[in-house]
Amino acid sequence: MRRQSHLDLLEAESIFVMREVMAEFERPVLLFSGGKDSIVMLRLAEKAFAPARIPFPVMHVDTGHNFPEVLEYRDRRVASLGLNLVVASVQEAIDTGLVRELPDGTRNRIQTPVLLAAVEKYRFDALFGGARRDEEKARAKERMFSFRDEFGQWDPKNQRPELWALYNGRHHPGESIRVFPLSNWTELDVWHYIAKENIPLPGIYYAHDREVVERNGMFYAVNEFIRLRDG
């Protein structure tokens, strides 16, 4: 008899969570950035609902500062699986006045209003995220089903108990649940699973020669956003 490995148990738990979401919610969506965690979630979703297609769309909150290799990978994977891709554009939100670009040019902090606007527009009630509890202290407080109020706010003191793998997805209109199937995974588990499943990755993950520029002790890849100065 084949003994289940550590990765087998993690995979089974994550697939169980995804199937629970489909049983309890009307309009789930999988948040997909093209990073390693969301890539693993997409593979888990494939397995959870095979041989049928994944029964929910994929959403990318696009900062506008993505590597071309990641966008190419996103489009290729979505097309190969026959999925509906929803793109929530930060640049479009800046152009329409929904958010204001920060002076330092970073866009990570202004992604949240863009995400919440897309959730309201498409009436998503469950969002699969790739967060893991080993990432940081705040993540360690997240439940597998993490409740958000009608304003998209998370209150760690207002979460439901999850005893014996029983998940409570009840919510009022406008409220939503963030679902984290990888909660109990570590970063090493993610990499081992990618190797075990032979999951393709965007080319940006692999070592190769690329043109870079050094500024303030940091190396940056030369692209349309970071260009060489004269001389």
Side-chain angles (χ1 to χ4, degrees):
M1 183 178 68
R2 176 178 175 269
R3 296 185 62 183
Q4 286 191 310
S5 70
H6 174 61
L7 288 180
D8 291 332
L9 296 174
L10 288 173
E11 178 191 72
E13 179 186 52
S14 299
I15 286 175
F16 171 75
V17 168
M18 288 186 163
R19 290 172 177 169
E20 280 292 297
V21 169
M22 282 309 301
E24 295 190 45
F25 294 86
E26 294 182 3
R27 300 178 68 87
V29 65
L30 188 147
L31 299 178
F32 187 79
S33 65
K36 64 184 186 308
D37 300 312
S38 60
I39 287 171
V40 166
M41 277 206 305
L42 199 58
R43 171 54 61 88
L44 292 167
E46 280 187 83
K47 289 193 166 190
F49 305 105
R53 288 196 307 179
I54 297 173
F56 41 76
V58 165
M59 179 162 68
H60 180 205
V61 181
D62 184 2
T63 64
H65 290 170
N66 293 286
F67 291 103
E69 298 96 325
V70 174
L71 297 179
E72 185 276 331
Y73 177 91
R74 177 200 70 187
D75 294 340
R76 178 161 41 87
R77 284 291 287 145
V78 166
S80 68
L81 295 172
L83 300 178
N84 176 29
L85 173 65
V86 176
V87 177
S89 171
V90 173
Q91 183 60 57
E92 185 177 308
I94 293 171
D95 295 340
T96 58
L98 176 64
V99 295
R100 182 179 297 175
E101 189 157 21
L102 300 174
D104 61 5
T106 59
R107 295 185 173 183
N108 287 343
R109 282 178 287 173
I110 59 175
Q111 290 183 85
T112 300
V114 180
L115 170 62
L116 295 179
V119 170
E120 182 179 1
K121 177 181 178 180
Y122 295 100
R123 305 196 317 277
F124 293 131
D125 55 0
L127 290 77
F128 289 108
R132 305 182 319 273
R133 293 194 183 111
D134 75 325
E135 289 182 286
E136 55 178 277
K137 292 180 181 179
R139 294 295 191 193
K141 298 178 182 178
E142 293 273 19
R143 302 289 170 87
M144 198 76 80
F145 275 33
S146 188
F147 175 76
R148 298 297 198 273
D149 65 18
E150 63 271 25
F151 301 107
Q153 298 177 112
W154 173 62
D155 180 1
K157 296 181 180 179
N158 184 28
Q159 301 297 318
R160 289 88 182 264
E162 293 179 346
L163 306 175
W164 307 293
L166 296 176
Y167 301 108
N168 179 359
R170 287 180 294 181
H171 61 284
H172 297 294
E175 299 172 343
S176 62
I177 304 286
R178 300 287 174 84
V179 183
F180 302 114
L182 305 183
S183 289
N184 293 327
W185 297 51
T186 66
E187 183 174 4
L188 189 59
D189 293 328
V190 169
W191 285 118
H192 282 166
Y193 190 77
I194 288 171
K196 171 179 172 287
E197 294 287 311
N198 196 27
I199 303 174
L201 295 171
I204 196 69
Y205 272 104
Y206 298 104
H208 56 275
D209 292 334
R210 59 173 68 94
E211 190 176 17
V212 299
V213 59
E214 182 182 1
R215 290 179 185 167
N216 299 322
M218 293 284 291
F219 288 101
Y220 298 94
V222 176
N223 54 45
E224 60 181 305
F225 305 109
I226 300 176
R227 299 185 179 279
L228 290 169
R229 293 173 179 154
D230 293 338

